[in-house]
């Protein structure tokens, strides 16, 4: 059964962006949304993670759990999803000290 799927993919190759737009709408330059089957979603995610070199990606889709969705990530991220007794929580990674002082300016 098709379900709403959201993919955020940054710094991915153009051929991969083209593959994503065959199945999903690109509503902003890095955000893809659509209603696709689980099989198509799995194939898109496998292709995305296989071709991801320096970028990052996040996949969200409905699931039968307390929050109503499942979250997957690939690539380097500042936010890491953690399972906490069946709930997905986000852990933020601290910026290195040199970047923290640069952001304060």
């Amino acid at each position: 059964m098709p379900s709403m799927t959201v993919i955020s993919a940054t710094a991915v190759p153009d051929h991969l962006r083209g593959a994503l737009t065959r199945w999903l709408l690109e509503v902003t330059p890095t955000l893809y949304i659509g209603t696709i089957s689980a099989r198509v979603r799995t194939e898109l995610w496998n292709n995305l993670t296989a071709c991801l070199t320096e970028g990052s990606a996040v996949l969200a889709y409905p699931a039968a759990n307390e929050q109503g969705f499942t979250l997957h990530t690939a690539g380097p991220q500042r936010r890491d999803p953690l399972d906490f007794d069946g709930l997905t929580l986000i852990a933020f990674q601290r910026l290195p000290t040199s970047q923290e002082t640069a952001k304060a300016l």
Side-chain angles (χ1 to χ4, degrees):
M1 174 181 221
S3 62
M4 179 73 149
T5 301
V6 178
I7 296 177
S8 175
T10 57
V12 295
D14 288 338
H15 70 89
L16 196 53
R17 292 180 65 195
L20 289 170
T21 57
R22 286 186 199 122
W23 296 96
L24 306 167
L25 293 174
E26 186 176 11
V27 294
T28 64
T30 61
L31 187 64
Y32 302 86
I33 299 174
T35 304
I36 55 177
S37 68
R39 182 175 182 174
V40 171
R41 179 182 65 231
T42 302
E43 285 298 318
L44 284 174
W45 185 248
N46 289 341
N47 290 339
L48 181 62
T49 56
C51 294
L52 203 59
T53 55
E54 57 192 48
S56 61
V58 177
L59 168 68
Y61 59 91
N65 60 21
E66 191 68 30
Q67 290 174 304
F69 64 90
T70 296
L71 194 65
H72 296 282
T73 61
Q77 308 251 347
R78 189 161 170 232
R79 295 167 178 86
D80 291 324
L82 301 173
D83 185 288
F84 186 76
D85 290 337
L87 293 176
T88 301
L89 302 177
I90 303 296
F92 285 89
Q93 303 296 324
R94 289 187 58 103
L95 289 173
T97 310
S98 61
Q99 289 181 343
E100 284 180 0
T101 56
K103 277 202 152 184
L105 299 176

